[in-house]
Amino acid sequence: MTFNKWDFRYMQMAEMVGTWSNCMREDRKIGAVAVRDKRVICTSYNSSPVGVKSCTERGECMRRKLGIKSGTELEKCYAVDSEQALICNAALQGLSLKNSTVYCTHQPCVICLKLLINAGVSRVIYKNEYPDAFSREIATEAGFLLIQIK
């Protein structure tokens, strides 16, 4: 696939939005941007749910403390994934993600990918790999475009 200047600009935006994450792991500050017709629909980043302390506020990462390998036991984290937050942000604003492209700093996990597919997103363009081969398998079976930008 050939990428254009807009793809790179939206990825830069996702990276910038990811810096707002309250995750204490620098390699897991993840941002997402939903775009349709060259217009940003909404943005998001991974962070703890409203009213729940983040690991940064708690002073330690639960996943690191428990020795959980990346890409496994996804439910054991205080944070809401950026893609999940993106869907929630759009819903709270009454905005549809149908036929949008989501630019994400990291490949979505399988849970997020299934939600994005069912939200009507057309494709995801991501920059960094994530150790979730099942996510790629689901994308292939669904005919969903999951594309890495380099």
Side-chain angles (χ1 to χ4, degrees):
M1 175 173 186
T2 304
F3 298 102
N4 62 46
K5 67 180 179 181
W6 290 102
D7 293 318
F8 291 103
R9 288 175 178 170
Y10 293 130
M11 186 57 68
Q12 286 177 323
M13 183 181 286
E15 289 175 320
M16 190 269 300
V17 170
T19 66
W20 303 339
S21 168
N22 62 14
C23 181
M24 64 189 325
R25 294 181 54 197
E26 288 301 318
D27 64 330
R28 289 294 179 242
K29 291 185 178 286
I30 300 172
V33 176
V35 176
R36 186 174 42 246
D37 300 325
K38 293 185 181 172
R39 288 183 171 67
V40 174
I41 299 169
C42 64
T43 64
S44 67
Y45 51 92
N46 58 322
S47 64
S48 55
V50 175
V52 176
K53 289 181 183 176
S54 69
C55 290
T56 303
E57 294 168 307
R58 294 170 191 276
E60 65 182 344
C61 171
M62 175 179 26
R63 294 182 59 80
R64 197 177 284 157
K65 178 182 174 184
L66 297 174
I68 298 171
K69 184 179 168 189
S70 185
T72 66
E73 300 183 63
L74 303 176
E75 73 283 0
K76 292 183 180 163
C77 180
Y78 288 107
V80 173
D81 288 1
S82 64
E83 302 91 337
Q84 294 168 17
L86 186 80
I87 293 166
C88 292
N89 290 348
L92 285 169
Q93 297 176 60
L95 300 170
S96 172
L97 294 176
K98 188 170 180 151
N99 299 321
S100 67
T101 296
V102 171
Y103 294 84
C104 197
T105 57
H106 292 69
Q107 173 196 322
C109 71
V110 69
I111 295 167
C112 290
L113 182 76
K114 290 187 285 186
L115 291 170
L116 291 166
I117 290 169
N118 279 1
V121 171
S122 296
R123 65 185 182 155
V124 169
I125 297 176
Y126 68 94
K127 185 173 182 181
N128 301 298
E129 291 282 339
Y130 183 71
D132 191 341
F134 191 48
S135 174
R136 291 186 293 277
E137 182 182 324
I138 291 289
T140 299
E141 183 174 335
F144 185 83
L145 295 174
L146 184 59
I147 307 160
Q148 185 174 22
I149 192 170
K150 295 187 179 194

